[in-house]
Amino acid sequence: MVNIIETAKNELTFENILMKAMHTPGVKVNRIKFLQKEFIKYYPKEVIDEAIKNNHAKAGVSKAVVNKISQQVINYETTKVTGISFLSSLPGGAVAIGAAAADITSYFAFILRTVQELAYLYGFEQFDL
């Protein structure tokens, strides 16, 4: 019994849970594709390539544009997770089964995706999780 509890304590760490969550389909964000998709609305390909290779400041991407895209990312992900939460709370049918689990899962997926996207916008490298 003591061994089971020790094993659970050692395996149920934040790091282990985060690593498993990052391998859930749809959670991991491809840095290059994300930055290309977001910056193409504002800058030519050469600037985007430089921003991806080095960082946005070195490429000449303005802080105002990065902040604007950041707010759009937050708004989009918030709307998406709110919609999923609303749909999972509707009564009846298969949608109601596991609603709490789906709500929690979608919330953590939202957090993980948003953190990655914001980190990439502000110059972080691809997370290798």
Side-chain angles (χ1 to χ4, degrees):
M1 181 72 165
V2 173
N3 288 341
I4 294 172
I5 293 172
E6 268 316 300
T7 301
K9 282 183 184 178
N10 291 334
E11 291 183 15
L12 293 177
T13 64
F14 176 75
E15 291 84 8
N16 286 344
I17 293 168
L18 179 62
M19 292 294 285
K20 287 180 180 160
M22 287 298 294
H23 290 95
T24 302
V27 171
K28 191 168 184 176
V29 175
N30 181 300
R31 178 181 176 270
I32 293 171
K33 288 181 182 177
F34 171 73
L35 291 175
Q36 287 172 337
K37 180 182 80 119
E38 294 303 326
F39 286 145
I40 197 69
K41 302 168 195 167
Y42 304 96
Y43 294 99
K45 185 178 180 339
E46 298 78 31
V47 173
I48 297 167
D49 290 343
E50 181 68 22
I52 290 169
K53 182 180 175 189
N54 294 303
N55 64 47
H56 68 279
K58 199 171 199 176
V61 173
S62 75
K63 187 176 179 180
V65 168
V66 172
N67 289 340
K68 181 178 181 177
I69 295 170
S70 297
Q71 190 60 55
Q72 292 169 350
V73 163
I74 292 167
N75 291 345
Y76 173 75
E77 292 290 344
T78 301
T79 301
K80 190 167 66 172
V81 78
T82 302
I84 292 169
S85 180
F86 173 75
L87 289 174
S88 68
S89 69
L90 292 175
V95 176
I97 298 170
D103 198 31
I104 292 168
T105 302
S106 64
Y107 174 74
F108 279 109
F110 154 75
I111 293 293
L112 292 171
R113 284 188 60 78
T114 304
V115 165
Q116 289 174 87
E117 292 169 347
L118 293 176
Y120 297 155
L121 281 171
Y122 287 98
F124 282 76
E125 293 296 316
Q126 176 76 42
F127 294 136
D128 292 326
L129 298 172

